[in-house]
Amino acid sequence: MQQRVIAVVVAAGGGSRAGGDVPKQYRPVAGRPMLAHAVAAFARHPAIDAVILVVPPGDEARAAALAGPVDRTIAGGATRRESSAAGVAAAEALGATAVLIHDAARPFPPADVIAAVVAALAHAEGAMPALAVADTLAQGRDGMLGDVTPRDGLFRVQTPQGFRLAAIRDAHARWNPAEEATDDAQMVRRLGGRVALVQGSAMLDKVTYPQDFAAAEARVQYEYRTATGFDVHRLEPGEELWLGGVRIDHSHGLSGHSDADVGLHALTDALLGTVAAGDIGQHFPPSDPQWRGAESGQFLRHALSLVRAAGGEVTFADLTLICEAPKIGPHRDAIRERVAELLDLPPTRVSLKATTTERLGFTGRGEGIAAQAAATVRLPLRIDA
Ligand code: MG
């Protein structure tokens, strides 16, 4: 039979132990809501055919908006067991032959763990990641040490817990609702199902308490991307001259689309380049009259918002203005400060350089000003963005 493996991401808890006003599954980790990380990991995994998200009743719309590529968002129940059962029922309705039930408070399920859980279902009714306990375990009472518990054969259990559909469906159907279950795997075991252990991962550590958010952030890997931008505008008498967001008194100004701030346009393209979001002309077409005379700072802010939407953070910007006149030196600090302000950076993370072209070419003849820029951003390392 054709396998159809559906991931059920359970984010139905109130998350009160994590502190804060917002349930923990919606709080940001590495630039996006925690639940979005696990959803993305399953959605991009080749062994997973669909993703179902289980959230507190009434929260479906808010969660779906934050979660990313989810096939179905459903309401959970009053307990973890009921939420899990709702997820299993929804997975069955979507034609699942196997389900992976995962806790959204474990935001970074590694691809190899997902693959190992799915593969183990070929020879067991269930499978789950687990880590052998490395620390000595001891009893304690009233702050005093008691007996040591042998750790041989002890494991920390994690999720995703995977099951053949019939095994988990029957386990929920036959469970005595007066009893609370520790997890889905124990329910399947109770019916005699075999649950295989696969190698777990420290990436699966759970976010429960406020300090766990910092620990989760520390597990995120980042990549740095640098991209460039280039722009030219013509110098004309009777125009205002705007360079790097600063109005400069000069005999000529730049003409063209918007305020023709060649420096901010080059920076905008550099920022757009870091998230492969096209160029400034695609976002703000010169043919669109609403951008005539527009202040170019808003273009740069828009590019910044796209970087942030990808979970990114600008770390550095570098701008070179190429012209014979005006002299940039007297305006250097003002331009650096304005660009830094637009990018929410300290001025020490904005570099401004100026050069001439030795009276050669269009810049040398004073016909126009050119600008080139580079921007560096830090993005969480992931394959789907
Ligand atoms: Mg331009």
Side-chain angles (χ1 to χ4, degrees):
M1 186 173 71
Q2 179 74 36
Q3 289 297 311
R4 183 164 164 79
V5 183
I6 294 185
V8 174
V9 176
V10 181
S16 53
R17 282 178 297 178
D21 306 330
V22 180
K24 68 176 176 181
Q25 59 267 38
Y26 305 130
R27 285 175 56 188
V29 173
R32 58 178 173 173
M34 182 159 70
L35 82 172
H37 289 282
V39 165
F42 288 106
R44 70 178 172 239
H45 198 284
I48 302 298
D49 296 298
V51 180
I52 293 169
L53 179 63
V54 187
V55 300
D59 249 5
E60 293 92 328
R62 161 164 77 159
L66 295 173
V70 170
D71 296 277
R72 184 94 19 116
T73 300
I74 63 165
T79 63
R80 156 87 199 194
R81 180 176 54 79
E82 289 170 14
S83 296
S84 170
V88 170
E92 183 171 18
L94 286 182
T97 60
V99 293
L100 265 56
I101 302 172
H102 182 70
D103 192 337
R106 305 179 194 271
F108 309 118
D112 58 347
V113 173
I114 296 172
V117 169
V118 172
L121 296 179
H123 60 82
E125 285 75 31
M128 65 189 300
L131 280 178
V133 172
D135 296 323
T136 297
L137 296 178
Q139 314 267 341
R141 186 160 298 160
D142 302 328
M144 302 303 272
L145 178 66
D147 290 340
V148 166
T149 298
R151 68 185 174 214
D152 257 17
L154 286 185
F155 288 85
R156 288 199 289 138
V157 302
Q158 302 178 317
T159 72
Q161 300 187 351
F163 306 96
R164 298 178 191 170
L165 180 77
I168 188 65
R169 182 191 55 204
D170 293 353
H172 278 287
R174 293 165 61 178
W175 189 257
N176 170 11
E179 190 184 347
E180 217 26 82
T182 54
D183 64 3
D184 297 278
Q186 290 298 344
M187 294 171 63
V188 167
R189 264 194 80 234
R190 188 76 71 85
L191 287 184
R194 294 184 324 132
V195 179
L197 297 181
V198 306
Q199 178 64 42
S201 167
M203 289 298 283
L204 284 166
D205 282 353
K206 197 169 180 178
V207 176
T208 304
Y209 300 102
Q211 62 271 25
D212 297 341
F213 281 88
E217 292 276 353
R219 291 197 294 276
V220 178
Q221 288 180 286
Y222 287 94
E223 64 174 318
Y224 286 83
R225 294 188 192 170
T226 296
T228 67
F230 177 78
D231 197 27
V232 170
H233 281 271
R234 182 186 297 274
L235 278 167
E236 305 268 12
E239 296 273 358
E240 283 189 352
L241 179 60
W242 287 85
L243 283 176
V246 172
R247 165 106 160 76
I248 292 175
D249 276 331
H250 189 51
S251 59
H252 291 58
L254 292 172
S255 76
H257 175 42
S258 71
D259 62 11
D261 188 326
V262 69
L264 293 189
H265 292 188
L267 281 166
T268 299
D269 265 354
L271 241 58
L272 292 173
T274 62
V275 286
D279 60 40
I280 190 172
Q282 289 174 271
H283 293 268
F284 306 100
S287 55
D288 187 336
Q290 71 169 306
W291 307 123
R292 186 172 302 138
E295 194 242 310
S296 294
Q298 66 189 295
F299 305 155
L300 189 57
R301 294 291 296 187
H302 176 73
L304 178 63
S305 76
L306 294 181
V307 170
R308 287 176 172 165
E313 179 186 5
V314 178
T315 65
F316 190 71
D318 179 65
L319 175 63
T320 302
L321 296 170
I322 305 164
C323 57
E324 297 292 332
K327 291 291 172 225
I328 301 301
H331 310 286
R332 183 185 301 271
D333 289 346
I335 292 173
R336 276 183 82 196
E337 278 166 28
R338 179 59 184 149
V339 170
E341 183 181 26
L342 287 167
L343 293 176
D344 298 333
L345 286 175
T348 50
R349 289 184 174 273
V350 175
S351 157
L352 176 67
K353 300 183 255 74
T355 187
T356 71
T357 49
E358 298 284 334
R359 300 193 177 280
L360 297 168
F362 69 87
T363 53
R365 292 188 296 272
E367 295 166 7
I369 296 180
Q372 61 185 34
T376 300
V377 304
R378 188 185 80 155
L379 288 156
L381 182 58
R382 52 185 196 246
I383 303 159
D384 62 322

